[in-house]
Amino acid sequence: FPFNGFTYCLTLFTTLLYTIKFENMMKFLLFLLLISVVSSAFYHESKGLCKPSTDDPGRQLYFADLNCATRCDIAGASCKGYSLGSTYGLCVTYYDAPVTGNGRVNFKCFRKD
């Protein structure tokens, strides 16, 4: 097997590129884990779709994704919680009124404490 400088450099470059990608991927996964642990510390989980606990339902925003926790964190104190549908791929954020779960099977309610 003859030594080829180009092949060696190409192999070294692809190995380095793979290592950088792997390290960045691991950092990103650790960041996501940290975000999920920190954000879950502020929410109380209950079974069912969230429902406002007052007569005034406040604002409810529906999304066709599962990023409600991020939206609620960004909104701060005005967001009172969010619901996730396990089979429907949707989420709902609730503003202005405290929420509690209504007991429905395929949903989870996360209320800010």
Side-chain angles (χ1 to χ4, degrees), residues 3 20 25 29 32-33 42 77 79 89 92 96 99 106 111:
F3 177 77
I20 290 170
M25 183 177 62
L29 290 175
L32 289 179
L33 178 64
F42 299 113
C79 181
V92 186
D96 307 321
V99 293
N106 291 327
R111 179 185 80 237

Side-chain angles (χ1 to χ4, degrees), residues 71-110:
R71 286 186 191 95
C72 204
D73 290 341
I74 292 170
S78 66
C79 181
K80 302 302 181 188
Y82 64 95
S83 291
L84 291 178
S86 61
T87 57
Y88 302 109
L90 64 90
C91 70
V92 186
T93 54
Y94 299 88
Y95 297 87
D96 307 321
V99 293
T100 56
N102 66 0
R104 290 176 63 182
V105 177
N106 291 327
F107 293 93
K108 289 186 179 179
C109 176
F110 297 90

Side-chain angles (χ1 to χ4, degrees), residues 15-31:
T15 304
L16 182 62
L17 192 61
Y18 174 78
T19 304
I20 290 170
K21 285 183 179 180
F22 181 75
E23 288 175 6
N24 286 339
M25 183 177 62
M26 292 306 294
K27 288 177 186 177
F28 180 70
L29 290 175
L30 287 173
F31 174 73

